């Protein structure tokens, strides 16, 4: 064996597993990024901004049937919530206050309860008797239709029936007013 080959060969031999490891990790990162871009392309949903809001029909606690189509031509706030959801409970008074403030300008509020029994919904509403927006039941069908992945999630629907924006988290009072302003007739920037 040559003296120079020995001294240069061993360090290189020790580095080969590290080099292979780095290349393997780089390959995995490449696959992950490619998968994310492909998923993003394919997941352009019916609930993206500027798309037509999917119609649905649901019932109130009193059994009245309500469809989103019933509100055609009006700005609509759709909020997905549950009584056990802390952030939902925190933003509900803001939604009620905003509804009171903007209902004379045509704002409609549809709150869609996620898979709770009527008793749980009624108990929550009894604890909050000032809430006078429409509360709808959902067995998960509307939740799936709107591709809701967390509660609360709120959609803001323009008068033309398109989704102006959505917010998949608890709304602050200020943010709620900003989003509502965007869907009110004659108020859009």
């Amino acid at each position: 064996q040559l003296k120079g080959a020995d001294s240069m060969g061993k360090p290189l031999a020790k580095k080969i597993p590290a080099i292979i490891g780095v290349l393997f990790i780089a390959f995995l990162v490449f696959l992950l990024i490619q998968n994310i871009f492909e998923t993003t392309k394919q997941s352009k949903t019916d609930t993206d901004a500027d798309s037509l809001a999917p119609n649905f029909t649901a019932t109130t606690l009193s059994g009245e049937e309500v469809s989103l189509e019933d509100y055609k031509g009006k700005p609509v706030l759709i909020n997905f919530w549950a009584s056990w959801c802390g952030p939902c409970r925190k933003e509900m008074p803001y939604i009620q206050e905003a509804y009171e403030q903007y209902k004379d300008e045509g704002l409609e509020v549809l709150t869609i309860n996620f898979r709770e029994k009527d008793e749980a919904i009624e108990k929550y509403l009894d604890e909050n008797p000032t809430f006078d927006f429409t509360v709808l039941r959902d067995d998960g069908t509307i939740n799936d239709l709107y591709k809701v992945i967390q509660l609360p999630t709120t959609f803001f629907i323009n008068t033309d029936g398109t989704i102006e924006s959505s917010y998949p988290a608890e709304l602050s009072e200020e943010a709620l007013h900003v989003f509502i302003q965007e869907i009110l007739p004659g108020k859009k920037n």
Side-chain angles (χ1 to χ4, degrees):
Q1 243 183 358
L2 296 174
K3 192 172 186 180
D6 189 44
S7 64
M8 294 195 69
K10 282 192 177 180
L12 183 61
K14 288 181 181 178
K15 291 181 182 178
I16 288 177
I19 292 170
I20 290 173
V22 168
L23 290 174
F24 181 71
I25 290 172
F27 178 70
L28 289 178
V29 169
F30 170 77
L31 288 178
L32 177 66
I33 290 170
Q34 184 179 15
N35 188 34
I36 289 170
F37 282 121
E38 285 302 311
T39 303
T40 303
K41 281 186 210 170
Q42 293 170 357
S43 71
K44 192 86 170 133
T45 67
D46 315 22
T47 55
D48 289 325
D50 297 325
S51 63
L52 194 60
N55 187 42
F56 59 83
T57 301
T59 57
T60 64
L61 291 174
S62 62
E64 177 189 351
E65 232 178 53
V66 174
S67 290
L68 181 58
E69 285 181 346
D70 300 339
Y71 299 92
K72 192 173 187 173
K74 296 183 177 187
V76 181
L77 179 155
I78 300 174
N79 178 264
F80 290 86
W81 69 284
S83 66
W84 49 260
C85 164
C88 301
R89 295 175 73 94
K90 188 174 176 188
E91 78 177 1
M92 280 297 199
Y94 300 147
I95 291 172
Q96 176 60 41
E97 290 169 13
Y99 178 54
E100 290 171 9
Q101 181 176 344
Y102 298 111
K103 67 182 171 184
D104 290 341
E105 296 180 57
L107 179 68
E108 296 290 345
V109 172
L110 303 176
T111 60
I112 301 174
N113 181 271
F114 181 67
R115 294 184 177 171
E116 287 191 285
K117 294 185 179 185
D118 289 356
E119 296 79 27
I121 302 168
E122 288 168 353
K123 181 177 185 254
Y124 177 70
L125 294 175
D126 287 345
E127 294 168 0
N128 298 279
T130 61
F131 294 171
D132 67 345
F133 42 70
T134 303
V135 177
L136 300 172
R137 299 181 190 126
D138 180 26
D139 62 3
T141 305
I142 305 168
N143 183 81
D144 292 345
L145 182 65
Y146 276 76
K147 298 177 177 30
V148 173
I149 56 172
Q150 72 180 49
L151 298 177
T153 293
T154 307
F155 289 85
F156 299 88
I157 314 300
N158 287 313
T159 56
D160 65 1
T162 58
I163 298 170
E164 174 67 29
S165 53
S166 62
Y167 196 82
E170 176 187 335
L171 282 160
S172 68
E173 188 172 8
E174 297 79 18
L176 180 62
H177 287 276
V178 168
F179 285 119
I180 290 172
Q181 289 288 323
E182 291 176 351
I183 63 172
L184 291 176
K187 299 257 180 149
K188 193 170 180 180
N189 295 336

